[in-house]
């Protein structure tokens, strides 16, 4: 990779990392405030709703984020990139509306009408997550950074306002506050982009239908990955109960900055991997893979050492002694092992996703989930909930070994006949454009090309 390319990659990484740090600090502050203000039961409920939001993010990423990060960087013109943005953006909006509705309806029997705040939070968080991925794919990281800043500042202001109230209903008001902050971040991003918001449902439906085989395995992979990761966390909460889950949830919050660093790296390298695959540059692809994994490994090691040194102060001051009787050292160790395993397979898994190896990833996640859930259940029943995260860690290391083995063996190519390479069927836009009229062509037709030119 040339020095100019590395410099550009480094500058984008700096902006993206800055945005993630802002969000991480806000989420950490929010959780600490709620940890002190809520009962252990209510905080456990809040943490479980947060996990539901994380599950929503992964489905939107599979349906719209991964395709956007894969195909937008390979577009041969700005207008073609806009066509991709319209298609996958429309898919993201529909998916987020469905997620918000399902969350609201699903939680009504549990928490009543207050589930509306939870549904809005899940839907808007998922939509803002997709918008950030699309902006990264289009190399518009400054706008993504402005959105992150607006979310953080707006959320902080709303949180301060919330704390001035009488404190009743803090849990659900906190969820509504988070939904409003995500909405503000979306509004700032759309305003800064200075582009009309286009929702093309007719074109989107036709193209998604044409790509249904590839997306089916993508969604299957995400569903099994959710069972393998967030599903196991929810299993701990269900089996142990919200009160016993609370110290685990609080410890998971401590590792949010590390997880967000992993998200930055994935959002950064996926467009780079897609571009290198399009050029057939295996050497540069290996460099991105190894460098990103080395960065994450070093971050996990340094973060773990720092957290181990300061765990006593964290328990005494940040947690205000709320979990004095819990083995926080054991919980922190198993959570660190879990996060480290996930960070070490982030880059090879991203490469497999970019190659559209969704079938292999789905079976890997399913096998590791079955193994992890069986181990979690045994640990909670036979030992204690504090040991349950060891089962999640073991599951993550199964995925780690499988992903690196698939990359080392050269596997993970796109199943033949599903989706042709974009350079073969993506038309050029502008005057004199030659449009692809082959049977099965699913990308911009004359009507949409005229819309984009206008």
């Amino acid at each position: 990779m040339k020095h100019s390319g590395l410099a550009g990659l480094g500058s984008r990484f700096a902006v993206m990392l800055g945005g993630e740090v802002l969000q991480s600090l806000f989420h950490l502050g929010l959780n600490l405030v709620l940890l002190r203000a809520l009962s252990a039961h209510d905080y456990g409920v809040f943490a479980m709703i947060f996990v539901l939001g994380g599950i929503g993010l992964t489905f939107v990423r599979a349906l719209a984020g991964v395709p956007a990060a894969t195909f937008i960087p390979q577009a041969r013109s700005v207008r073609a990139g806009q066509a991709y943005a319209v298609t996958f953006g429309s898919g993201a909006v529909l998916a987020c509306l469905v997620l918000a509705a399902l969350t609201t309806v699903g939680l009504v029997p549990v928490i009543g009408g207050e589930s509306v705040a939870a549904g809005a939070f899940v839907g808007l968080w998922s939509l803002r997550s997709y918008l950030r991925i699309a902006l990264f794919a289009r190399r518009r990281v400054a706008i993504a950074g402005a959105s992150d800043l607006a979310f953080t500042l707006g959320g902080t202001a709303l949180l301060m306002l919330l704390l001035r109230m009488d404190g009743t209903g803090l849990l659900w008001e906190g969820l509504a506050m988070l939904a409003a902050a995500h909405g503000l971040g979306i509004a700032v991003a759309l305003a800064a982009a200075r582009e009309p918001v286009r929702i093309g449902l007719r074109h989107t439906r036709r193209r998604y239908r044409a790509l249904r085989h590839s997306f089916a395995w993508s969604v299957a992979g995400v569903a099994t990955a959710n069972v393998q990761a967030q599903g196991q966390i929810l299993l701990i909460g269900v089996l142990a109960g919200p009160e016993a889950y609370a110290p685990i949830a609080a410890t998971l919050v401590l590792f949010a900055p590390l997880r967000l660093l992993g998200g930055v790296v994935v959002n950064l390298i996926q467009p780079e991997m897609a571009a290198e695959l399009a050029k057939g540059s295996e050497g540069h692809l290996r460099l991105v893979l190894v460098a990103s994994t080395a960065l994450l490994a070093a971050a996990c090691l340094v973060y773990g050492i720092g957290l181990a040194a300061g765990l006593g102060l964290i328990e005494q001051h940040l947690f205000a002694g709320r979990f004095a009787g819990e083995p926080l050292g054991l919980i922190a160790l198993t959570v660190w092992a879990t996060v480290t395993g996930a960070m070490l397979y982030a880059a090879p898994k991203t490469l497999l996703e970019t190659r559209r190896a969704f079938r292999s990833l789905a079976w890997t996640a399913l096998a590791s989930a079955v193994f992890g859930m069986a181990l979690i259940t045994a640990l909670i029943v036979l030992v204690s909930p504090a040991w349950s995260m060891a089962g999640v860690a073991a599951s993550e290391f199964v995925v780690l070994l499988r992903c690196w083995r698939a990359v080392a063996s050269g596997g993970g190519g796109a199943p033949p006949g599903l989706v042709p390479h974009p350079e073969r069927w993506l038309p050029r836009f502008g005057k004199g454009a030659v449009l692809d009229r082959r049977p099965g062509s699913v990308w911009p037709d004359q009507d949409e090309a005229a819309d984009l030119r206008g």
Side-chain angles (χ1 to χ4, degrees), residues 264-299:
V264 170
V265 172
V266 168
N267 288 332
L268 180 71
I269 66 175
Q270 190 157 38
E272 300 295 328
M273 287 180 169
E276 298 300 335
L277 284 173
K279 294 185 292 186
S281 181
E282 291 293 329
H284 292 167
L285 195 61
R286 284 194 298 272
L287 177 60
V288 173
L289 181 67
V290 173
S292 57
T293 302
L295 171 66
L296 291 174

Side-chain angles (χ1 to χ4, degrees), residues 129-260:
S129 175
Y130 164 77
L131 189 57
R132 296 179 76 250
I133 293 174
L135 289 170
F136 293 149
R138 299 177 68 183
R139 308 293 176 86
R140 307 187 74 175
V141 293
I143 297 177
S147 175
D148 293 339
L149 183 61
F151 163 74
T152 304
L153 294 180
T156 302
L158 290 171
L159 178 60
M160 294 176 64
L161 179 63
L162 189 64
L163 293 177
R164 290 179 178 273
M165 298 181 180
D166 57 7
T168 59
L170 183 61
L171 174 59
W172 313 116
E173 290 170 357
L175 289 171
M177 176 271 295
L178 277 174
H182 283 297
L184 177 62
I186 292 170
V188 168
L190 295 177
R194 295 183 179 181
E195 294 178 355
V197 178
R198 298 178 182 272
I199 304 295
L201 297 181
R202 181 168 60 89
H203 299 296
T204 298
R205 183 174 61 253
R206 178 166 57 87
R207 289 165 193 158
Y208 269 89
R209 185 169 60 247
L211 299 175
R212 63 187 178 277
H213 296 295
S214 184
F215 278 115
W217 278 111
S218 176
V219 174
V222 169
T224 52
N226 277 323
V227 173
Q228 183 265 324
Q230 286 92 343
Q232 295 183 88
I233 301 296
L234 284 176
L235 178 64
I236 294 173
V238 170
L239 294 180
E243 187 170 351
Y245 173 65
I248 298 174
T251 306
L252 284 167
V253 170
L254 297 177
F255 288 88
L258 201 55
R259 288 183 177 275
L260 288 174

